Amino acid sequence: MQINRVILQSSLLQELSAFYKAGMNLKTDVKNDEEIIIRIGSTELVFKQVSVADPFYHIAINIPANKIDEAKHWLMARVDLIWIDDYKSDIANFVNWHAKSVYFFDPAGNIVELIARFDLANKTEEPFSAAQFLSISEVGLVIKANEFGESVARLLEQYQLSYFAKQPPLPQFRAIGDDEGLFIVVPENRNWFPTSIPSGIFPMEVHFQNDGKEYLLKA
């Protein structure tokens, strides 16, 4: 599964534009003060202006499989990393997923993850930079708790998706897709790992490809 475009909402477009452009060195365009478009490798991340709410989301960005330590030090000059109590570290070691991650907040409170997936053939010897933000590989999808099971079943059927082979379904956590693209599906108010912040339901759109077909998910 490949995630091509993610459309989120925020009331802090100026702060987000400065953060991703000047702080993260990513190509960022402002469109009529109503939206910003951030190029993250092969994915477009779009924030649209809203004024009455403060949405926040979770996304993960693939980086080369051998660059987690370099990415950590690169980030430390730009943001405060989120400490991960489960690992007593600021690097999460997902043994079953064959991956390691670091996390930080952007100015709108979005939880952003850089993840190195060891099973992808994307190693590089180039020094780490924003050019190694390869794509958005995870989007957090939040569902009403009393509709969780039914909604996940519809998601699998409607978009011809399957559970992630490395993650068996759990009562409050479902990973759907593959190493290139995943929906991380949780019920409303479940804390976003690795924080104590309950998830919320906010509008979003995800344009993605699966098995050669293009799809649009609106939530």
Side-chain angles (χ1 to χ4, degrees):
M1 180 172 122
Q2 293 81 43
I3 299 172
N4 298 325
R5 198 168 199 248
V6 180
I7 303 175
L8 309 178
Q9 295 186 351
S10 181
S11 62
L12 300 171
L13 292 197
Q14 289 185 350
E15 292 87 342
L16 288 169
S17 177
F19 176 80
Y20 284 103
K21 186 174 184 178
M24 294 287 113
N25 299 329
L26 294 166
K27 182 179 178 182
T28 303
D29 296 319
V30 179
K31 302 294 184 181
N32 300 321
D33 295 326
E34 293 296 325
E35 69 178 36
I36 58 173
I37 302 172
I38 304 157
R39 171 59 65 179
I40 299 178
S42 61
T43 309
E44 278 189 348
L45 173 60
V46 180
F47 285 102
K48 291 194 172 184
Q49 177 71 38
V50 291
S51 58
V52 295
D54 289 310
F56 65 93
Y57 305 86
H58 165 60
I59 60 170
I61 298 167
N62 272 1
I63 62 171
N66 60 331
K67 290 295 178 176
I68 192 66
D69 291 315
E70 284 187 45
K72 169 187 167 177
H73 291 291
W74 186 88
L75 283 173
M76 287 174 64
R78 294 163 172 81
V79 295
D80 293 325
L81 298 181
I82 300 174
W83 181 256
I84 306 166
D85 285 336
D86 289 359
Y87 295 94
K88 301 296 186 288
S89 174
D90 44 24
I91 295 179
N93 182 10
F94 299 118
V95 175
N96 292 342
W97 286 31
H98 302 161
K100 290 185 177 183
S101 294
V102 290
Y103 296 81
F104 59 93
F105 294 107
D106 74 10
N110 298 303
I111 301 164
V112 184
E113 173 185 358
L114 299 190
I115 182 166
R117 303 179 190 270
F118 307 142
D119 293 336
L120 294 180
N122 58 15
K123 292 182 179 180
T124 179
E125 298 309 316
E126 293 294 321
F128 188 82
S129 70
Q132 293 175 24
F133 285 36
L134 302 178
S135 65
I136 292 179
S137 62
E138 295 178 14
V139 178
L141 181 60
V142 185
I143 294 173
K144 291 182 179 179
N146 62 350
E147 301 175 1
F148 188 67
E150 294 177 0
S151 294
V152 170
R154 286 197 300 270
L155 181 70
L156 293 167
E157 181 178 3
Q158 181 176 354
Y159 298 105
Q160 300 179 28
L161 294 168
S162 301
Y163 285 122
F164 187 33
K166 299 173 184 176
Q167 177 60 60
L170 299 174
Q172 293 194 321
F173 183 90
R174 310 289 171 89
I176 296 172
D178 54 38
D179 279 321
E180 296 283 1
L182 290 165
F183 290 115
I184 303 300
V185 192
V186 300
E188 188 177 14
N189 294 320
R190 181 188 185 274
N191 289 355
W192 278 125
F193 181 85
T195 76
S196 58
I197 300 172
S199 62
I201 297 175
F202 303 106
M204 63 186 299
E205 296 182 15
V206 183
H207 299 252
F208 67 99
Q209 290 179 300
N210 186 47
D211 289 335
K213 296 180 180 180
E214 295 189 0
Y215 297 95
L216 169 59
L217 182 149
K218 289 187 177 182

